[in-house]
Amino acid sequence: MIRPSVLIAVLTGALVLAVAFAVSFGETVLDLAAYGRAFTDPSSGEAAVLWQIRLPRALCALLVGAALGLAGAVMQGLLRNPLAEPGVIGVSGTAACAAAMAIIAGFAAIPGAVEMAALVGAALAGGLLVVVGARLKAPEALILFGVALSSFSGAATALIFNLSPSPVASAEVMSWLLGSVANRSWFDVMWVAVALTISAFFARLALSGLRMLTLGEDVARASGLPLAQLRVWALLAAAVASGAAVAVAGVIGFVGLAAPHLVRSSVRGDPGRILLPSALMGGLILVLADLATRLIPTDQELKLGVFTALIGAPLFAIMAWRAAREWRL
């Protein structure tokens, strides 16, 4: 059993090393002299590779992974289900659908337009879940509604492809939906950093309520916990984080599911202590995954969302199998 403070320190150190590796490796090989020029001559090509290409990409992967890890931890705490994550309950899918509409409509040329569309889509999904959650008291019912919302948003995205008048725009949407942090800029880093900060603020407001929920809804309600307000804060935290992640990197699946799962035993399932380690673990997973997509020798670079799905889908199946066995018992 690792103490939470030790876990946070270990994850932080691993993240620093992962970012250092991500910045050090790539198609352009940099020797020690090249790194020296990158630090001393801002106008050199080495400086452009290091500061304008590799570092923004690595930081985007870190922040997007952290946002997904935080959103997953919040949703799992709210629904008291280790299989819950923004992708499962439809927030990510709705954000992706809204962003796809913005791209097809020609707003991709406007800085921040696609990001704002994805955030609005995630906010609409979160608001709808809040309204439905006020009527559907059981967490399982909210999950089922989220699955239906996810299916609907997927169908709407397919309809966008079907009705798209431009094959070029359709190809752009498809490439974006596969998920990637390649060619991201400092603007993207700033965007997701601000959104992650806002999400962390909402998660902080929900922190005590998530802890009380571990005792059960009846006990929490009897203790004076405002469940409706808790759902608002938690869903806002998840919607803002996942919406920003989708806006910057496209659809990245299973990180929000896996990150809390990997650190849960170290915090003994405490929703209050799991949020920061989940965010750090999510960032670590995505930085390493993005590094793998760059280093795996393929004719075309693997898309980050494809890689995480290939790794995450088997993990999700194993978790679902274990959960099903516990339900039978």
Side-chain angles (χ1 to χ4, degrees):
M1 182 71 66
I2 303 176
R3 295 177 58 185
S5 58
V6 176
L7 176 64
I8 291 172
V10 169
L11 288 175
T12 301
L15 259 177
V16 172
L17 289 176
V19 171
F21 275 111
V23 171
S24 301
F25 294 99
E27 292 185 6
T28 302
V29 179
L30 301 179
D31 55 19
L32 291 178
Y35 279 110
R37 287 191 296 272
F39 280 94
T40 57
D41 184 4
S43 63
S44 65
E46 291 84 359
V49 170
L50 188 65
W51 303 115
Q52 302 302 323
I53 298 177
R54 291 186 182 176
L55 187 57
R57 176 171 181 164
L59 292 180
C60 269
L62 189 160
L63 293 171
V64 167
L68 293 173
L70 177 64
V74 170
M75 293 310 304
Q76 290 176 18
L78 176 66
L79 300 176
R80 289 169 291 151
N81 190 320
L83 301 181
E85 64 132 1
V88 173
I89 63 170
V91 176
S92 296
T94 307
C97 181
M101 291 177 62
I103 293 174
I104 292 295
F107 293 115
I110 303 175
V114 175
E115 289 86 347
M116 184 58 66
L119 200 58
V120 169
L124 289 175
L128 186 58
L129 288 169
V130 168
V131 173
V132 173
R135 296 179 177 273
L136 302 177
K137 304 300 182 182
E140 296 82 2
L142 188 59
I143 292 176
L144 291 175
F145 180 83
V147 170
L149 181 60
S150 180
S151 299
F152 178 80
S153 61
T157 304
L159 181 64
I160 291 172
F161 278 109
N162 187 207
L163 300 179
S164 173
S166 170
V168 175
S170 296
E172 184 179 354
V173 172
M174 175 58 73
S175 177
W176 181 81
L177 287 176
L178 292 177
S180 176
V181 290
N183 302 318
R184 296 308 186 262
S185 65
W186 287 106
F187 174 81
D188 298 304
V189 174
M190 179 192 68
W191 175 272
V192 71
V194 171
L196 181 58
T197 302
I198 296 172
S199 175
F201 172 74
F202 288 134
R204 182 68 181 83
L205 294 177
L207 193 61
S208 60
L210 293 176
R211 279 177 168 159
M212 292 182 66
L213 267 184
T214 58
L215 303 175
E217 281 198 9
D218 293 336
V219 175
R221 189 180 290 107
S223 301
L225 175 66
L227 289 175
Q229 187 180 60
L230 171 62
R231 289 191 181 99
V232 170
W233 296 137
L235 290 171
L236 279 175
V240 171
S242 56
V246 170
V248 170
V251 180
I252 307 291
F254 298 104
V255 174
L257 172 73
H261 177 72
L262 292 174
V263 301
R264 179 169 285 107
S265 61
S266 298
V267 298
R268 299 180 181 178
D270 185 348
R273 293 183 175 181
I274 202 174
L275 298 184
L276 179 55
S278 295
L280 294 174
M281 179 62 76
L284 179 61
I285 290 173
L286 213 58
V287 170
L288 294 177
D290 183 56
L291 180 60
T293 62
R294 291 195 286 130
L295 297 182
I296 294 175
T298 55
D299 292 337
Q300 291 185 344
E301 183 179 297
L302 288 175
K303 290 292 187 179
L304 184 56
V306 175
F307 184 80
T308 57
L310 288 173
I311 301 299
L315 176 62
F316 182 83
I318 293 172
M319 292 176 62
W321 175 262
R322 290 178 176 176
R325 292 182 63 184
E326 292 177 359
W327 292 335
R328 285 201 302 268
L329 295 175

